[in-house]
Amino acid sequence: MNQIIKAQCLVLLILSVLNAVVSWAYLDYEAPCSPSDTENVCDPSKFLKCIDNTCLCNGTMVWDVKNVERCGLKLGQVCPIYPSFRGPFCYGTAVCKESDGHLQQGICTCVSPDEPSPNGEYCIHLAHNVGEYCTQHYVTCSTTDRLICSGTQCTCESGWLVNGTVCMAGFNSTCKVGSELPIETCRSNNLLKCNPETERCECSRGTDHIWHENTKICLTKAGATCEHDDFHHYECIEKASCRTGPNGLGRICTCNKYHHPSPDGTECVQDPVERILAPGELCDPENLVEVCNYAKDNVCSCPNKNFTCSCDCEKPFLINSKGECPAGFEAPCENLPNSPINLTCNEEAYLKCHQIGENSTCGCDSPLSQFYDRVLKTCQLRVGQECDPSPDKISCPETSICRKTDGDITRCWCEHSYKPSEDERRCYYTYSATQLPHGAACQEWNYLEFCPKSWNLFCVNGTCQCPEEIEGKIW
C-alpha cells in the first residue's frame, strides 16, 4: 500500500513540474521583460538575459544570426570546447581555440586571414563565397568576387549568376575567353558563351536564342530549331513548345494553341478574341478565342471537373439576365446610392442589402416569409405565405403552387396529398391525407381532405361531384 501511495505522489509531482514548465513563456531577442516575472522569461537556450527590462545578450556576448539566432561570445571570451553543441558559440567567424592545455574550454580567436577589429571584440572577415553570413559586425562580401550582402547572406551582384559557392558571368556581363576565373567565365549551363570581340557573354546559339531575365537562361525563339539530340531539346520561349516540324522534318519551337509568333519570333502573341460567349453558354477554360464576357466579370466556371463548364460569375457574385455580376446571397454589399455593380445585390434573385452591425450582406427581403434556394439561386416564398402568380413576382417553392385558399387570398399552397415541411421550404408527400367520397363536403384548397381526381371527382360549390353532375347529369 505504501508503494502505491509513493507512486501516486511521484506522478502528482511530475505532473506539477510539467504544468509549471508548460506555463513558462520564453521571450525572444529584444522582447520586453521583467526580472520579477517568473512565467515570461528570456529564452535561456539563446543565452538571453533580462537587461533594462529587455531581453538582450550580456556584456561578453552579442546577438548573432549565423548561429541560429542566439547570443555569440566576443573575442577573448572563454568558450566551451566539449561538449561544444551546448554553446554558447563564438560570434561571427571566430573559433573556440584550446588555451593553456584545457581540453574542455578555450578562447574565442580569429583564424587567418581574419584579424581582430580595432575594439578587439570581433573578427574582420572578407567573405569570398556565396551563402556566407554578412550581417555580423566587421563582415563584408568581396566585391572582387562580385558578391553583395542580400538579407543575411552574400549572393552574386546583378549580372552575375550563382554557381555553387562562386559567381559566374551572366548575360551581357564582361568575360574573357580562356579565363579560369569564375567571374570572367560565362555560365554554360545557362547556354551562354563569351564573345571574343565584345568580351561580353551572349547566347550560345546566336540569333536563334533570346535571353530570358526571369529564368536566367537563353531560350529558343519561335520558328527556330530546338533539336539537340535524341533525348534532349533546347528550351523554347514562353507559350511555345518543341514540336515536330512540317512534314516530320526535325523539331522547331512552335507557339501553343491560340497563339502566334511575333515578327521577330521573340514571343508568342495571343490570338484575338473571335466571339464573346453569352451568360450560361458552354465554354472551355483553355479556349482563348471564344471567351466569357470578362468585361462584365463573367468567368468560365467548372463546378465539377466531370461536367461541362459555362459562363458564370465567380462566387459570391450571382449572374443576372444582363450578364452582369451583382452580389449574390451572403455576399458583402453596399447601401450607398450609385455603388459599383459588384456591391449591389442581385435584384432578380429578390436579394436586398441588410446591415448587421458594421457589415452589410445580401439576403432575402423578409427572412421570416422567404428563404434562399441555393439550387435555383433565388429567394422564394415559404409555404403558406401570400403570393402573386405574376411571372415577375417572387415565386413559391417548386413543390407548391400559388392558388386561392380561403376567400380571395392567394398563397403558396401544397397540392393534394402533400403537406408543408417544418421549415415551410417545401411540400412533401403524406400518407395521412383523406380522399373524400362522392357528395362529401369539400374545400378545394384543403390538401389533407380532398376529392380524388383519380376517381374523376372535383370539388364544386363545396361538394365532391362528377363532371356529369356539373353539366346537369347524375352520379
Side-chain angles (χ1 to χ4, degrees), residues 459-474:
C459 187
V460 180
N461 298 325
T463 305
C464 287
Q465 301 181 44
C466 299
E468 291 81 0
E469 292 180 286
I470 301 171
E471 298 174 0
K473 299 179 181 179
I474 60 172

Side-chain angles (χ1 to χ4, degrees), residues 207-348:
T207 56
D208 284 349
H209 261 163
I210 182 175
W211 177 252
H212 192 263
E213 185 61 28
N214 291 341
T215 56
K216 306 295 183 187
I217 194 171
C218 292
L219 301 177
T220 304
K221 295 180 181 179
T225 178
C226 47
E227 196 106 34
H228 183 49
D229 55 40
D230 292 339
F231 302 100
H232 304 88
H233 61 82
Y234 292 111
E235 191 172 349
C236 300
I237 60 172
E238 288 184 292
K239 300 175 183 176
S241 303
C242 189
R243 299 186 179 95
T244 302
N247 302 320
L249 300 176
R251 289 186 293 175
I252 61 173
C253 283
T254 308
C255 290
N256 297 338
K257 191 176 182 180
Y258 307 119
H259 291 82
H260 61 275
S262 61
D264 58 3
T266 58
E267 61 179 330
C268 287
V269 182
Q270 184 176 318
D271 294 341
V273 174
E274 297 176 0
R275 190 167 74 90
I276 301 294
L277 301 177
E281 195 169 355
L282 297 181
C283 58
D284 180 356
E286 297 181 358
N287 189 330
L288 302 179
V289 296
E290 294 184 348
V291 298
C292 300
N293 195 338
Y294 300 121
K296 291 188 175 181
D297 297 321
N298 287 197
V299 295
C300 190
S301 176
C302 308
N304 192 312
K305 293 182 179 180
N306 296 326
F307 294 91
T308 54
C309 307
S310 61
C311 292
D312 202 348
C313 301
E314 285 188 294
K315 291 183 179 179
F317 303 112
L318 182 63
I319 201 162
N320 61 19
S321 59
K322 298 178 181 179
E324 300 167 333
C325 292
F329 183 64
E330 295 182 338
C333 56
E334 182 60 74
N335 274 316
L336 297 176
N338 302 320
S339 60
I341 188 68
N342 62 345
L343 293 179
T344 303
C345 299
N346 191 324
E347 295 180 354
E348 293 181 3

Side-chain angles (χ1 to χ4, degrees), residues 70-87:
R70 64 178 68 183
C71 296
L73 293 165
K74 296 179 181 179
L75 283 182
Q77 300 299 320
V78 176
C79 52
I81 293 179
Y82 180 83
S84 60
F85 63 85
R86 291 183 180 178

Side-chain angles (χ1 to χ4, degrees), residues 422-436:
E422 289 187 6
D423 59 7
E424 300 175 333
R425 293 189 174 198
R426 65 185 182 91
C427 296
Y428 67 94
Y429 186 81
T430 175
Y431 291 96
S432 61
T434 300
Q435 295 183 353
L436 299 174

Side-chain angles (χ1 to χ4, degrees), residues 26-290:
Y26 290 140
L27 304 176
D28 210 343
Y29 181 64
E30 293 186 335
C33 61
S34 174
S36 61
D37 190 345
T38 59
E39 293 185 355
N40 299 284
V41 296
C42 299
D43 195 339
S45 68
K46 298 181 178 181
F47 309 102
L48 291 168
K49 303 290 183 181
C50 190
I51 303 172
D52 297 331
N53 294 322
T54 306
C55 289
L56 300 169
C57 304
N58 65 30
T60 65
M61 309 175 81
V62 64
W63 187 247
D64 192 353
V65 295
K66 176 182 178 181
N67 291 320
V68 200
E69 296 190 335
R70 64 178 68 183
C71 296
L73 293 165
K74 296 179 181 179
L75 283 182
Q77 300 299 320
V78 176
C79 52
I81 293 179
Y82 180 83
S84 60
F85 63 85
R86 291 183 180 178
F89 304 103
C90 297
Y91 177 81
T93 57
V95 297
C96 191
K97 189 174 182 180
E98 183 180 326
S99 175
D100 298 330
H102 288 287
L103 298 178
Q104 292 186 336
Q105 65 182 31
I107 302 294
C108 289
T109 310
C110 294
V111 178
S112 181
D114 293 358
E115 296 180 353
S117 61
N119 62 9
E121 295 182 345
Y122 315 107
C123 294
I124 300 175
H125 177 71
L126 183 63
H128 293 278
N129 295 319
V130 172
E132 287 195 63
Y133 286 88
C134 54
T135 54
Q136 297 104 329
H137 297 291
Y138 293 96
V139 175
T140 55
C141 301
S142 172
T143 56
T144 304
D145 295 303
R146 299 292 185 178
L147 292 171
I148 58 170
C149 187
S150 177
T152 60
Q153 296 176 311
C154 294
T155 189
C156 300
E157 66 179 61
S158 179
W160 271 259
L161 305 172
V162 175
N163 187 61
T165 59
V166 299
C167 298
M168 297 188 70
F171 181 74
N172 206 36
S173 296
T174 56
C175 59
K176 289 185 179 179
V177 177
S179 174
E180 296 183 357
L181 293 175
I183 59 170
E184 296 178 344
T185 305
C186 302
R187 194 169 189 271
S188 59
N189 286 6
N190 299 71
L191 302 179
L192 294 171
K193 67 176 182 180
C194 187
N195 187 320
E197 296 179 1
T198 61
E199 292 192 334
R200 296 275 180 176
C201 294
E202 61 182 30
C203 291
S204 59
R205 298 186 63 212
T207 56
D208 284 349
H209 261 163
I210 182 175
W211 177 252
H212 192 263
E213 185 61 28
N214 291 341
T215 56
K216 306 295 183 187
I217 194 171
C218 292
L219 301 177
T220 304
K221 295 180 181 179
T225 178
C226 47
E227 196 106 34
H228 183 49
D229 55 40
D230 292 339
F231 302 100
H232 304 88
H233 61 82
Y234 292 111
E235 191 172 349
C236 300
I237 60 172
E238 288 184 292
K239 300 175 183 176
S241 303
C242 189
R243 299 186 179 95
T244 302
N247 302 320
L249 300 176
R251 289 186 293 175
I252 61 173
C253 283
T254 308
C255 290
N256 297 338
K257 191 176 182 180
Y258 307 119
H259 291 82
H260 61 275
S262 61
D264 58 3
T266 58
E267 61 179 330
C268 287
V269 182
Q270 184 176 318
D271 294 341
V273 174
E274 297 176 0
R275 190 167 74 90
I276 301 294
L277 301 177
E281 195 169 355
L282 297 181
C283 58
D284 180 356
E286 297 181 358
N287 189 330
L288 302 179
V289 296
E290 294 184 348

